Amino acid sequence: MQATSCQQHVCPRLNNRSPASISLISSPARTQKAAVSRRLHSAQQQLGCLICSKKRRESCLLPRRCIKLGSSKQPIEEVTEEAGQKWGVFQWREYNRPWQVPWGGLTVAAGMVGWAVSFLGVALVLLPAVGSLVGVKDFTSMSATDKSVYALANQILETFAGLGIVFLATRKFMPLSPDILKFDIREPFAKPRGWLAWGLLGVLLSPLVVGAAAAAFSLLGYDEVNGKGTVDGVAQILSLDLPSFASLFGVTAVLAPILEETVFRGFLLTSLTKFMPTWAAVIASSVAFGLAHLSVRDLPQLVVLGTLLGFVYVPNARAFWTCSSVVDRQAAHALEKILEAHTTRRHGVSLKSLTLGSNIEAKKATYAVTLESLKHLQVIDAILERSQLLQDCSQLTRSSAVVLVYELLFGQGMRPLGPAERHVQKHKDCLEAALFAELQDRGVQNVSEILPETEESRPRSVRVNTIKLTVAAATSRLQADVGSVEPDDLLGDVLILPSSCHLHDHPWVKNGNLILQSKASCMPAQALQPKPGWTVMDCCAAPGNKTTHVAAMLDNKGEVIAVDRDPQRFKRLKANAELAGATCIRCIQDDFLKLDLEGAEFSSVDGVLLDPSCSGSGTTHTQLDRLLSPSEDIDEGRLASLASFQEKAMRHAFKLPNLKRLVYSTCSLYSNEGEEVIQKVMPLATQLGFKLQDPFPSWPRRGHREFLQSDLMIRADPKLDHTDGFFLALFVR
Ligand SMILES: C[S@@+](CC[C@H](N)C(=O)[O-])C[C@H]1O[C@@H](n2cnc3c(N)ncnc32)[C@H](O)[C@@H]1O
């Protein structure tokens, strides 16, 4: 056997990362059959099915390029028949698969009623009103050119209004699942989003269909039916000069189809699949499409045309496979939204809102599968790359593949119900081999050794709101509800619970008896040690976790002045203060730096909590951002600007004339936002008679050692202390 044929024993897509297979390929001198066999054997042992044996050929990827071990160069058959690029109307399984429609009947009704109102409103009210303003009185007396321009103006307004209404109705569900309303103008002819090619085919076929339907109805004597509809509006002005032709072309060939396809196929047909079988949704949406043209005479042709367009739309809109299990489907959807939001740096997308929302079935399972898929994302991406599972299959999205590979390799297994599951199942051996190779490359035995830590894997902490109940009462209630409850060894009003318990929906969390707050975040108020009757200023207070903590320590006696400048966060601050029953809190919505702290209004302030905006690096390691791009570096410019604000805020706080204690804290791992800020303000603090004091002598973690007096500063390490990364310093006078 020659070295060249030995190369063919190794599945080329899989060999690129494997030491054994690379050496096989790059060693032309190794021509001895025995040597080759030995190396193949050892490679096979290392890489599992990366070498295609007869037994494994069913499951090995890229079979056309793999040769059976020990046989001639006979390629084995392509196993991914479903992965082929299938075009056409009659893909019946597309009519049986469930669609992923995230909205309900109310959204459908609102969208369609909104569209109908805009359709009639533009044509009957808006445009005539604008026309009369510019001196157009009577449509019928206009010239043909003016009529066509008028029709164009009408269609432009209707198209924008209609698309805007569909957008508004579905906006809250964006980004939509791969099934729905997916137009990609950048790839007009490429499958899977080849809607334009199909649209053009539809345009080419439509005269035939309309003609055939008209002929059929004419034979039945139906053309005797009188009536006028939207088609007649255009037909009337068919005496053509160039401007008329261009306007009419714009109306009939561009704008109206875009509007109608979006409203009737993209929105209505898709939405109706939630309530009826897909074939019925095609027919129902076609009837609506016909009725919308406001002509009894044209109704039959338009319904036939709509039905044809609907049946063309279904298999091509459904270019992607979705998972058959509802949990996996929802998890893939959530994952896709998270990945998209991460790529576009869009804020406001959270794992919890996507998986625990009211429209989600089996919330806990969906949350768990999404979170676990995210945790395994890096490993699964590497497996997908090695196995090339997605390259041969344009119908499987990355997010569905990630969820299904998670289920198959790390989760509860996967039942091969639909095409997506069958495709993944067929490649099980290769996926396992790719996992094996990945673990070997990373030098670990088990995948758990390389998974990122998340909030989920650490114990939970909860603060007892001592305004409303005692720690003892909270402990016994939680013991009854979640089992194990431990008092925190440092903070008297904090309880530690198992990592598995989710208290978001607990009635005592909802009524403000308990506050879900990390242990680190409870340390500043405890470090301040305010006494009942004190006035404390929380300079950057929203959403008010530390503010309400201080209020509880004051036992509502005294005052907490809570300042925040952000309007949205300020609302949450007020709501949280109310929920906690913290009547001693006075909220001020303002820029803290602009407050006149030396004036009489704040002369009674004894203590300050300063917890300014920071990079959040102490908490992000547990958040989605870190799961998605763990090595992302901090933006130096942003860090410098945050540190500058933190220093300014601290200098400003020192202006309070009767200040006794000041706690500075940030949930940051960077010394720029911790020790360095303290060092910079130290001369001013010393000049004013303040010095650093150790608030928690028993706490083991201290400031970074290279800074003076760092042993008096407190740090929390996310891994070692099982809480947020945190920095804290206490000044006293
Ligand atoms: C880290 S958060 C505070 C968290 C809060 N201490 C808690 O535990 O719930 C920082 C807050 O500072 C506010 N902030 C930032 N700059 C401010 C300024 N110049 N004046 C007042 N508030 C400011 C932000 O709006 C944000 O709500």
Side-chain angles (χ1 to χ4, degrees):
M1 190 184 287
Q2 299 300 303
T4 47
S5 63
C6 127
Q7 190 169 334
Q8 287 166 323
H9 279 84
V10 181
C11 194
R13 289 194 172 193
L14 298 171
N15 66 17
N16 54 346
R17 304 283 287 276
S18 123
S21 52
I22 286 168
S23 76
L24 267 172
I25 284 169
S26 61
S27 305
R30 293 175 205 276
T31 55
Q32 295 298 311
K33 187 168 180 173
V36 169
S37 295
R38 255 200 325 274
R39 293 188 64 77
L40 282 174
H41 180 71
S42 100
Q44 191 167 19
Q45 280 197 327
Q46 277 191 45
L47 303 169
C49 84
L50 298 191
I51 298 167
C52 302
S53 66
K54 187 173 179 183
K55 184 171 143 256
R56 292 174 187 258
R57 71 186 198 183
E58 284 300 303
S59 61
C60 185
L61 282 179
L62 251 206
R64 273 176 301 185
R65 287 184 242 168
C66 294
I67 306 290
K68 284 183 274 177
L69 184 62
S71 83
S72 64
K73 298 174 190 172
Q74 180 200 347
I76 62 172
E77 66 278 17
E78 177 65 80
V79 292
T80 57
E81 73 272 16
E82 271 141 352
Q85 306 278 318
K86 284 193 178 152
W87 290 72
V89 177
F90 302 109
Q91 295 178 31
W92 293 116
R93 68 162 178 266
E94 300 305 337
Y95 296 90
N96 295 326
R97 286 199 289 123
W99 292 54
Q100 275 180 274
V101 181
W103 51 77
L106 207 61
T107 304
V108 186
M112 291 313 291
V113 170
W115 169 78
V117 169
S118 81
F119 180 68
L120 295 174
V122 166
L124 301 179
V125 183
L126 183 65
L127 213 62
V130 174
S132 73
L133 277 180
V134 295
V136 178
K137 297 220 161 42
D138 181 13
F139 179 78
T140 47
S141 62
M142 279 185 201
S143 70
T145 308
D146 287 348
K147 278 180 183 169
S148 55
V149 172
Y150 188 91
L152 180 65
N154 181 52
Q155 190 62 53
I156 290 174
L157 287 176
E158 288 200 336
T159 304
F160 277 101
L163 296 183
I165 281 162
V166 172
F167 173 75
L168 285 179
T170 55
R171 188 175 59 152
K172 122 167 186 239
F173 307 95
M174 302 265 178
L176 301 174
S177 84
D179 278 352
I180 301 173
L181 286 170
K182 276 283 178 201
F183 300 151
D184 192 346
I185 200 86
R186 289 162 305 180
E187 292 188 282
F189 292 97
K191 186 92 171 160
R193 292 179 188 165
W195 65 276
L196 190 53
W198 284 98
L200 287 173
L201 193 64
V203 169
L204 289 177
L205 286 177
S206 58
L208 287 177
V209 173
V210 174
F217 287 111
S218 162
L219 278 177
L220 296 170
Y222 188 82
D223 53 356
E224 296 304 317
V225 177
N226 287 324
K228 274 190 186 285
T230 52
V231 176
D232 298 283
V234 175
Q236 271 178 29
I237 44 179
L238 272 177
S239 69
L240 294 180
D241 53 32
L242 188 62
S244 314
F245 179 81
S247 301
L248 292 179
F249 184 81
V251 170
T252 54
V254 181
L255 294 168
I258 288 177
L259 177 65
E260 289 170 357
E261 293 318 299
T262 306
V263 172
F264 290 98
R265 253 61 66 189
F267 179 64
L268 184 62
L269 190 167
T270 309
S271 303
L272 291 178
T273 60
K274 188 153 187 167
F275 311 103
M276 56 188 81
T278 303
W279 61 265
V282 169
I283 292 168
S285 63
S286 306
V287 171
F289 170 70
L291 290 172
H293 285 78
L294 306 175
S295 164
V296 177
R297 192 200 58 204
D298 298 337
L299 185 64
Q301 288 102 303
L302 288 166
V303 173
V304 172
L305 176 64
T307 307
L308 176 82
L309 291 171
F311 278 108
V312 168
Y313 173 76
V314 170
N316 292 291
R318 317 220 55 209
F320 294 102
W321 291 332
T322 50
C323 309
S324 301
S325 122
V326 73
V327 167
D328 290 348
R329 194 161 64 242
Q330 292 175 153
H333 189 218
L335 193 66
E336 183 175 292
K337 286 192 168 191
I338 288 167
L339 295 174
E340 198 164 314
H342 181 72
T343 316
T344 56
R345 302 218 157 266
R346 197 157 56 84
H347 297 285
V349 170
S350 83
L351 176 60
K352 287 188 177 132
S353 68
L354 287 169
T355 56
L356 302 174
S358 55
N359 57 337
I360 300 292
E361 286 173 45
K363 293 186 185 42
K364 275 190 180 169
T366 304
Y367 175 79
V369 171
T370 314
L371 178 72
E372 289 303 315
S373 301
L374 269 169
K375 275 168 70 177
H376 289 78
L377 187 65
Q378 289 171 55
V379 180
I380 294 178
D381 271 344
I383 293 173
L384 291 178
E385 197 194 322
R386 280 175 189 271
S387 64
Q388 302 255 320
L389 183 77
L390 290 173
Q391 268 72 356
D392 272 355
C393 179
S394 59
Q395 286 137 305
L396 188 61
T397 61
R398 177 186 169 207
S399 48
S400 295
V402 168
V403 169
L404 292 178
V405 170
Y406 162 72
E407 291 282 34
L408 183 71
L409 297 183
F410 312 108
Q412 312 219 325
M414 181 194 69
R415 280 203 298 147
L417 298 166
E421 287 84 359
R422 285 201 296 275
H423 181 70
V424 173
Q425 181 72 37
K426 268 185 181 159
H427 299 104
K428 186 174 179 213
D429 284 0
C430 276
L431 292 165
E432 280 174 353
L435 167 64
F436 182 75
E438 180 66 19
L439 295 182
Q440 279 214 326
D441 270 9
R442 296 205 190 195
V444 293
Q445 299 272 322
N446 196 299
V447 74
S448 61
E449 296 170 53
I450 46 174
L451 292 186
E453 197 202 40
T454 67
E455 228 178 325
E456 309 304 305
S457 43
R458 49 154 107 122
R460 301 192 177 271
S461 60
V462 68
R463 175 166 67 78
V464 180
N465 179 6
T466 51
I467 294 175
K468 292 191 158 190
L469 82 164
T470 62
V471 174
T475 308
S476 61
R477 168 74 189 253
L478 287 174
Q479 239 149 14
D481 290 348
V482 302
S484 147
V485 180
E486 296 286 331
D488 183 69
D489 46 12
L490 185 75
L491 311 174
D493 48 6
V494 172
L495 298 173
I496 305 297
L497 310 169
S499 60
S500 56
C501 83
H502 293 268
L503 287 184
H504 286 92
D505 291 332
H506 194 283
W508 278 15
V509 170
K510 288 188 162 175
N511 72 8
N513 280 2
L514 300 171
I515 318 275
L516 297 181
Q517 198 171 348
S518 76
K519 171 175 173 170
S521 159
C522 296
M523 288 165 91
Q526 288 279 7
L528 189 66
Q529 282 296 313
K531 303 284 172 282
W534 274 28
T535 300
V536 174
M537 179 177 270
D538 188 347
C539 312
C540 292
N545 286 329
K546 298 179 188 71
T547 322
T548 52
H549 195 182
V550 171
M553 293 182 76
L554 292 183
D555 202 13
N556 258 339
K557 296 182 186 100
E559 185 175 48
V560 187
I561 303 167
V563 184
D564 206 285
R565 69 171 179 189
D566 182 291
Q568 291 308 320
R569 292 173 68 93
F570 187 76
K571 274 190 203 153
R572 282 175 61 204
L573 166 69
K574 287 179 78 168
N576 285 339
E578 197 173 328
L579 185 69
T583 48
C584 67
I585 295 176
R586 170 159 67 102
C587 299
I588 299 177
Q589 189 192 336
D590 209 338
D591 182 344
F592 168 67
L593 296 180
K594 292 196 180 139
L595 295 183
D596 176 14
L597 299 186
E598 285 147 305
E601 187 184 355
F602 303 116
S603 60
S604 61
V605 173
D606 305 283
V608 154
L609 259 194
L610 179 58
D611 184 42
S613 299
C614 70
S615 64
S617 52
T619 55
T620 49
H621 79 288
T622 61
Q623 292 171 355
L624 292 177
D625 268 2
R626 288 285 146 166
L627 293 180
L628 295 169
S629 50
S631 58
E632 203 173 345
D633 288 331
I634 176 79
D635 172 348
E636 292 293 338
R638 180 167 172 258
L639 196 56
S641 120
L642 286 165
S644 153
F645 168 68
Q646 291 150 1
E647 182 189 341
K648 262 191 220 153
M650 186 124 64
R651 287 182 185 280
H652 193 58
F654 276 131
K655 289 181 187 159
L656 286 160
N658 294 311
L659 185 64
K660 298 190 194 89
R661 289 166 81 88
L662 179 150
V663 168
Y664 171 82
S665 62
T666 55
C667 51
S668 168
L669 303 173
Y670 300 112
S671 48
N672 317 46
E673 301 181 277
E675 293 85 345
E676 273 183 33
V677 178
I678 301 299
Q679 201 166 50
K680 282 182 193 153
V681 301
M682 193 54 99
L684 172 68
T686 313
Q687 190 192 333
L688 294 170
F690 286 94
K691 55 186 183 177
L692 281 174
Q693 192 178 81
D694 183 355
F696 302 117
S698 63
W699 183 254
R701 211 87 40 229
R702 301 285 141 178
H704 294 152
R705 256 193 268 157
E706 61 273 27
F707 294 92
L708 276 176
Q709 301 192 70
S710 60
D711 56 328
L712 297 175
M713 306 173 202
I714 299 292
R715 275 206 167 273
D717 182 287
K719 285 218 156 145
L720 299 172
D721 301 315
H722 307 294
T723 183
D724 293 339
F726 221 76
F727 173 86
L728 186 155
L730 165 69
F731 284 98
V732 294
R733 171 160 72 176

